[in-house]
Amino acid sequence: MNVYTDGNERKKLWDELSKEVDSSRLVVVHLTIGDEGFGFNIRGGVDHPHVGCDPGIFITTVRADSVAGRDGRLEPGDRILALNATNLKCVTHDEAVNEFRKAEETVSLLVEKNAEAYLSSNEVPSSPEVTMMDGPARLEPDQEEPPNAVISTLKHFYNSNLGALSIGLAVGSLAVYVALRIYKATK
């Protein structure tokens, strides 16, 4: 996590973060903490991505009767890029929460407006491995699919006795669960 200590360093951080986002979607919000905090909830982080695999910190709710609600500029779906001189772009959820908890009475936020909708419309991959630039690879009829170590391992496992036993246990557990649900529903 990059934490900058003086105003000049904060400006450098904010300038750096601003290069990656269309300036029409950026807003700076200054808030003074109220009796019940700032009045919004966040979700996301590198450990719990909120939109696809994007590690950003997103606002999920804003209470109308709060400091942020009365200010009116923060909305669900906005992404907080920086809190004062702290880069929130690639932090864990807990790190972001701790930065808000230890913040001074007044904070400055660099916010990307409607980031969730923007990222969703631009099809953010659901995992870091899934990135399709030109669509999925297409095989010619005479080509075989290249070997995949994970698929090969799974095929080998399911063809073994242990794999058959695992499938049998899973199917049996599902059958018992369904039977119990039907039994309880008919009581």
Side-chain angles (χ1 to χ4, degrees):
M1 172 173 28
N2 296 333
V3 179
Y4 299 96
T5 54
D6 64 23
N8 193 25
E9 291 296 318
R10 180 179 78 175
K11 182 180 178 344
K12 286 180 189 175
L13 167 67
W14 286 27
D15 287 346
E16 179 185 318
L17 292 171
S18 298
K19 289 177 186 174
E20 301 170 14
V21 179
D22 180 12
S23 62
S24 68
R25 295 191 353 257
L26 285 176
V27 65
V28 175
V29 178
H30 303 284
L31 297 174
T32 301
I33 195 166
D35 293 335
E36 297 180 18
F38 295 107
F40 60 87
N41 295 348
I42 59 173
R43 184 176 283 168
V46 293
D47 53 341
H48 301 290
H50 178 60
V51 179
C53 67
D54 187 277
I57 300 297
F58 292 85
I59 295 174
T60 55
T61 57
V62 179
R63 290 189 305 281
D65 62 341
S66 68
V67 173
R70 287 188 295 277
D71 178 87
R73 290 179 286 174
L74 296 179
E75 300 173 308
D78 292 350
R79 176 170 44 179
I80 304 172
L81 301 174
L83 163 65
N84 294 329
T86 304
N87 184 346
L88 296 182
K89 203 164 169 216
C90 290
V91 298
T92 66
H93 182 265
D94 288 342
E95 288 172 332
V97 168
N98 288 334
E99 287 301 316
F100 276 100
R101 285 188 177 145
K102 72 180 188 183
E104 307 269 326
E105 186 175 309
T106 300
V107 297
S108 297
L109 305 173
L110 178 62
V111 178
E112 180 184 1
K113 297 297 291 174
N114 301 314
E116 186 174 343
Y118 178 79
L119 291 170
S120 295
S121 69
N122 288 319
E123 298 182 26
V124 175
S126 58
S127 70
E129 297 82 33
V130 179
T131 53
M132 296 191 303
M133 300 303 281
D134 299 320
R138 303 209 187 275
L139 296 175
E140 297 299 322
D142 60 337
Q143 287 180 312
E144 285 188 33
E145 190 169 332
N148 182 324
V150 174
I151 292 174
S152 297
T153 303
L154 286 174
K155 284 180 180 177
H156 179 71
F157 173 74
Y158 286 121
N159 288 330
S160 70
N161 289 338
L162 183 58
L165 179 62
S166 299
I167 292 172
L169 286 173
V171 171
S173 297
L174 179 61
V176 169
Y177 173 77
V178 170
L180 285 173
R181 297 291 290 194
I182 292 170
Y183 175 74
K184 288 180 181 179
T186 58
K187 276 187 144 183

